[in-house]
Amino acid sequence: MSDDPYDQASPRRPEAPREAADGGSARLGSLLDAPAGHDAAPSGLRGAFEHEELTPEQVRRRQRRGRVSLTTAIALFSLAALITVSVLASTFGWFEVRDYRGDGKDPVTFSVPEGATTGQIAASLEQQGIVADAQTFVETYSEDHAQEFIQPGEYELRTEMSSEAVVTALMEEGEAVHYAAVAQTLRMSDVFPILSESTGIPVEEFEAYAEDTETFGIPERFPTLEGWLHPGEYRFPLDVTAEEALRTMVDRTRETLDANGITEEERIFEVLTIGSIIEFEVQPEHYDVVAGAIENRLENPEGETSGFIQSDASVTYGLGRKGYDFSEEERRDADNEYNTFANPGLPVGPIGSPGDAAIKAAADPVETDYYFWVTVDLDTGETKFADTYAEHLRNVEEYNQWCSENEGRCA
């Protein structure tokens, strides 16, 4: 055997290339002219295209491996897709039940408490399994009943009712009304828009009655309805008029006066005016003491206060502003008929409509030696009282100190 590694007998020796005079076309010709029954490709190309001969068992093993790999890939893809959908569904609430269908399943008694808002009712309905989603209920309710109110009381409903079915049941079983909530320490100019928003009646119709005290049987001493629009919750019939709504509020004030034994016209004026001032001046726990201090000032014009009430709230009411900040010039302006610094005695009328507690305190003030009061902490409502002006000035210094430590709060 030849020692030449490229000997013809060696299977690793490649065939010697055959050159042609035409620059290589002979090689292409040799490939095309290969004898029948022989692969035209040289050994290197043949290895690239020919399949390895496998036994049947090897074929089956490879098929099984292929199937396992495909199954694993599909399983991993499905798991990833499931996780992705779960995250997105949780984020966007895709699979949350927003509403049930039909008239429900099991009977349940549902209570609407006094003063409950639509949102509170909706939350309670969802908690008790009556509706699927509180927000969906609110949206359904607002479509046709935005200006109406769900009457307090007990309703026979069912679990898993559609929001539409619940709205129908609540509005048919209970009489639909207009609901208005009037808070304390609101001026007449604040109350009219609330009534208008509740009833849908233009605010101008309420304003037209502002000075028409005669229509409501209010004593002539009162310049406007201010003082008579009793704070509280009201449920007006759907066909209520502006006059009827106002009369309801005036009647409630009259009922409170009657309950406290205040029936004489001059005394009515005193109680409602003083009651309106103390509501703006102090917290409810101090109403009766401040009412006593105001009574001392009015009954002792020769004392240190010279018969002046000196209420900041009354001055700004006359100025048509809110708050307690005014200039020294405005403090001395006697043309402001509500200025209790420049004009002794009661102002020309109430500066708001007092509630039950303020009316009661003004009707029956505490007997006290105090003439002065000042709230020294606007957050807690802490109020200090004094018999003399000198003592009062020390309390005022405490108030000023609090204001300096709480910038912007006393403006």
Side-chain angles (χ1 to χ4, degrees):
M1 180 177 291
S2 172
D3 293 332
D4 184 357
Y6 295 106
D7 188 86
Q8 291 287 341
S10 173
R12 295 170 54 192
R13 179 179 179 179
E15 297 178 358
R18 292 178 293 178
E19 299 296 333
D22 58 3
S25 61
R27 177 174 176 81
L28 180 57
S30 68
L31 293 175
L32 296 175
D33 298 337
H38 293 274
D39 192 342
S43 61
L45 292 175
R46 184 183 298 117
F49 290 99
E50 284 186 350
H51 292 293
E52 178 184 357
E53 291 186 5
L54 302 175
T55 66
E57 180 59 29
Q58 290 175 318
V59 171
R60 286 194 293 271
R61 281 201 300 270
R62 291 193 177 188
Q63 288 175 339
R64 282 197 297 270
R65 284 198 297 269
R67 286 195 296 270
V68 170
S69 298
L70 179 60
T71 302
T72 301
I74 293 173
L76 290 174
F77 176 80
S78 299
L79 178 61
L82 180 60
I83 292 173
T84 301
V85 171
S86 297
V87 171
L88 293 175
S90 176
T91 302
F92 298 104
W94 288 350
F95 302 133
E96 293 179 2
V97 178
R98 294 298 306 277
D99 204 358
Y100 296 123
R101 294 183 179 182
D103 296 328
K105 295 181 178 179
D106 302 324
V108 60
T109 299
F110 179 74
S111 297
V112 176
E114 190 81 18
T117 65
T118 303
Q120 291 170 335
I121 294 171
S124 184
L125 286 167
E126 180 180 338
Q127 290 169 1
Q128 296 184 40
I130 297 172
V131 300
D133 180 69
Q135 184 59 38
T136 301
F137 171 82
V138 172
E139 293 170 358
T140 303
Y141 176 84
S142 299
E143 287 178 2
D144 298 314
H145 305 283
Q147 299 297 326
E148 300 175 25
F149 176 72
I150 300 173
Q151 282 280 64
E154 293 189 343
Y155 296 83
E156 296 304 319
L157 303 177
R158 290 180 176 273
T159 59
E160 299 188 14
M161 297 177 68
S162 70
S163 293
E164 184 177 357
V166 175
V167 170
T168 299
L170 293 176
M171 301 312 291
E172 286 184 355
E173 289 187 29
E175 181 185 357
V177 295
H178 292 306
Y179 173 75
V182 180
Q184 290 183 215
T185 66
L186 293 182
R187 297 175 178 178
M188 179 174 60
S189 58
D190 300 318
V191 175
F192 289 159
I194 293 174
L195 296 178
S196 176
E197 183 177 354
S198 168
T199 63
I201 299 172
V203 69
E204 291 79 10
E205 292 191 29
F206 292 102
E207 292 173 341
Y209 288 99
E211 298 179 10
D212 187 5
T213 55
E214 183 178 356
T215 294
F216 303 98
I218 294 173
E220 293 181 2
R221 176 82 183 269
F222 291 86
T224 67
L225 298 187
E226 193 75 273
W228 289 88
L229 304 180
H230 198 283
E233 295 180 305
Y234 293 90
R235 295 164 181 82
F236 301 115
L238 296 183
D239 60 351
V240 70
T241 65
E243 179 182 338
E244 290 168 343
L246 294 172
R247 187 178 300 280
T248 298
M249 302 182 77
V250 171
D251 288 346
R252 188 173 293 186
T253 295
R254 188 171 283 112
E255 290 169 3
T256 302
L257 290 168
D258 290 343
N260 286 278
I262 307 300
T263 57
E264 193 269 324
E265 289 191 1
E266 186 61 28
R267 186 68 177 132
I268 288 174
F269 180 83
E270 293 173 357
V271 167
L272 292 184
T273 303
I274 294 174
S276 70
I277 292 174
I278 63 178
E279 273 198 346
F280 284 95
E281 288 284 331
V282 291
Q283 297 292 326
E285 61 266 28
H286 303 306
Y287 283 173
D288 52 358
V289 180
V290 174
I294 290 177
E295 187 173 76
N296 288 342
R297 287 174 174 242
L298 295 175
E299 293 184 352
N300 187 14
E302 303 302 322
E304 283 189 290
T305 57
S306 303
F308 291 90
I309 294 179
Q310 298 177 320
S311 164
D312 293 346
S314 68
V315 177
T316 53
Y317 180 89
L319 293 172
R321 301 201 303 258
K322 294 183 179 179
Y324 303 93
D325 190 27
F326 48 88
S327 67
E328 189 58 36
E329 181 180 358
E330 290 170 330
R331 183 189 299 270
R332 295 193 300 267
D333 182 13
D335 290 337
N336 178 355
E337 295 182 298
Y338 290 89
N339 187 345
T340 53
F341 285 88
N343 298 297
L346 293 172
V348 69
I351 62 174
S353 295
D356 291 342
I359 290 176
K360 185 178 186 301
D364 187 22
V366 166
E367 291 187 11
T368 179
D369 294 329
Y370 295 138
Y371 281 79
F372 303 90
W373 66 91
V374 59
T375 299
V376 296
D377 188 321
L378 300 186
D379 285 337
T380 65
E382 180 185 1
T383 300
K384 292 195 172 183
F385 299 89
D387 300 348
T388 66
Y389 186 59
E391 183 182 357
H392 175 63
L393 288 179
R394 290 193 291 272
N395 293 337
V396 170
E397 278 302 311
E398 188 172 339
Y399 164 74
N400 290 333
Q401 178 64 30
W402 188 92
C403 290
S404 66
E405 295 172 356
N406 296 269
E407 187 176 354
R409 293 295 311 283
C410 301

